[in-house]
Amino acid sequence: MTHSSKFVIVNGTPIEVPIGFSIDDLVAYMSVEGRYAVEIGGEIIPRSEHGDHLIGDGDTVEIVSAIGGG
Amino acid sequence: MKTTQSVFAEGFDQLHIADRRFQSRLLVGTGKYKNLEETAKAIEASGADIVTVAVRRTNLGQRTGEPNLLDIISPERYTILPNTAGCYDAASAVRTCRLARELLGGHDLVKLEVLGDNKTLYPDVVETLRAAKILCEDGFAVMVYTTDDPVVAKELESIGCVAVMPLAAPIGSGLGIQNRYTIRTIVENAAVPIVVDAGVGTASEASVAMELGCDGVLMNTAIAEAKHPVLMASAMRKAVEAGREAYLAGRMPRRAFASASSPIDDVSPS
């Protein structure tokens, strides 16, 4: 039996994503807009690779943006 | 729009940080405002060129309808200075800078702050020195928040930081410069810009920093927590300009006794 989705942790929350999702797919799925950076398993993935880099089963993903601060 | 008539032409006496030139010597934060609209208006009124931001987890899943900070404070118009607020060790500060550089498309000017205590928000200079070394070697242009310790300030400069930013008083305290002697000593010893960062509460305190010879002042709470932030931003703009002009003008000497301003001769006796 093949799985059609996998569980990953995005910003501390477990979510289910379809197999074959790239970072770009995930970002669109999460409705992220504006400027952001993505880190998977503690490693920053450059923006140029977001279309090719596939989310792996059990990946810990952090998506960060700029907010107000001093 | 210039709200003061400076004796200096545009382009003169610019703030030099790394290989960049800035007209304004007032740097402002974007935290603690009521909303993005107020943030934008206050920053506009301040005349600041350099604006700090924090890096945090993106709010996911729900479309709030609110624009993002960088849609309102555009990196095209302002120089965005991401900070490492919330970091208590070198590793997390370094990681935050790398994330910031990525989210800003390679922009490598950062504000390094590593705190040691969450009540006083006082810098942990040991971790700050450690982080500064790693970041400078990784090609970042580091503007480093630190204590007003002249030895630490010089060490951060020799590590390669492009600006050193000693605190006036604890973050958000609004107490003004607590030790003019140490700030002045740091300024005198420095070969990089010195920007007072944290603890300024009102306009006169910003002027004092500039009169001590500092190259700039960075503030957030002083503007955001004023009753009328946009008005305070305008006051701060003038205060930094006034303090800078006073410094460049070379103040009169202090005297123990009086020195009459009007001639003492030819007084018509009564």
Side-chain angles (χ1 to χ4, degrees):
Chain A
M1 184 174 82
T2 54
H3 297 283
S4 60
S5 65
K6 54 196 162 202
F7 280 95
V8 296
I9 299 172
V10 182
N11 286 2
T13 303
I15 65 157
E16 208 175 335
V17 300
I19 297 275
F21 247 31
S22 68
I23 293 178
D24 273 346
D25 294 326
L26 178 66
V27 163
Y29 183 66
M30 312 283 337
S31 306
V32 176
E33 291 177 328
R35 295 168 192 252
Y36 55 89
V38 175
E39 185 192 75
I40 299 182
E43 197 188 314
I44 297 172
I45 311 297
R47 189 64 188 263
S48 56
E49 294 173 25
H50 285 193
D52 297 325
H53 189 109
L54 302 187
I55 307 294
D57 197 16
D59 271 351
T60 304
V61 182
E62 290 286 323
I63 306 176
V64 297
S65 307
I67 64 156
Chain B
M1 183 183 77
K2 281 181 77 70
T3 55
T4 54
Q5 203 67 30
S6 172
V7 295
F8 298 126
E10 186 94 14
F12 191 80
D13 191 38
Q14 289 183 318
L15 173 61
H16 293 196
I17 296 179
D19 56 355
R20 301 167 193 234
R21 305 285 179 264
F22 303 96
Q23 200 59 44
S24 172
R25 293 175 176 275
L26 175 59
L27 294 68
V28 296
T30 50
K32 295 179 165 174
Y33 288 100
K34 289 189 192 62
N35 51 51
L36 284 181
E37 192 193 340
E38 186 181 74
T39 310
K41 283 185 178 159
I43 287 165
E44 166 102 40
S46 76
D49 293 320
I50 299 171
V51 176
T52 67
V53 300
V55 176
R56 290 288 182 272
R57 279 176 164 173
T58 308
N59 194 5
L60 299 174
Q62 294 160 287
R63 281 183 183 272
T64 61
E66 261 235 327
N68 293 312
L69 177 68
L70 295 184
D71 295 331
I72 305 296
I73 313 294
S74 166
E76 268 82 60
R77 181 173 172 194
Y78 296 99
T79 295
I80 304 296
L81 185 64
N83 69 26
T84 65
C87 294
Y88 287 81
D89 59 43
S92 56
V94 169
R95 171 180 173 258
T96 300
C97 288
R98 289 176 174 152
L99 284 165
R101 180 167 59 183
E102 180 60 31
L103 90 87
L104 290 172
H107 171 86
D108 58 14
L109 186 70
V110 294
K111 169 176 161 174
L112 171 63
E113 64 180 275
V114 186
L115 305 183
D117 168 49
N118 66 3
K119 186 171 166 187
T120 64
L121 300 182
Y122 212 70
D124 178 333
V125 295
V126 173
E127 288 297 295
T128 301
L129 288 159
R130 200 168 277 154
K133 193 158 196 307
I134 297 168
L135 291 166
C136 290
E137 281 168 9
D138 195 12
F140 285 93
V142 179
M143 298 179 65
V144 57
Y145 169 63
T146 181
T147 62
D148 59 340
D149 180 327
V151 174
V152 172
K154 198 64 186 172
E155 183 59 29
L156 287 164
E157 178 188 306
S158 55
I159 282 171
C161 294
V162 301
V164 174
M165 309 205 292
L167 55 81
I171 293 168
S173 68
L175 295 171
I177 290 175
Q178 291 298 291
N179 193 330
R180 296 184 186 200
Y181 176 76
T182 47
I183 298 292
R184 179 69 203 153
T185 303
I186 291 170
V187 166
E188 285 177 1
N189 291 343
V192 294
I194 301 300
V195 174
V196 161
D197 176 15
V200 168
T202 190
S204 54
E205 291 159 6
S207 294
V208 166
M210 299 310 292
E211 287 170 11
L212 289 169
C214 293
D215 298 277
V217 183
L218 199 162
M219 63 178 71
N220 190 156
T221 310
I223 297 175
E225 285 190 5
K227 288 188 179 59
H228 302 288
V230 175
L231 188 56
M232 182 58 87
S234 170
M236 289 299 188
R237 176 182 186 158
K238 292 169 182 161
V240 168
E241 287 176 4
R244 181 64 177 173
E245 287 190 9
Y247 173 71
L248 293 175
R251 64 155 297 149
M252 59 167 277
R254 290 181 169 87
R255 294 190 176 95
F257 302 100
S259 165
S261 299
S262 306
I264 54 176
D265 301 320
D266 300 322
V267 173
S268 175
S270 18

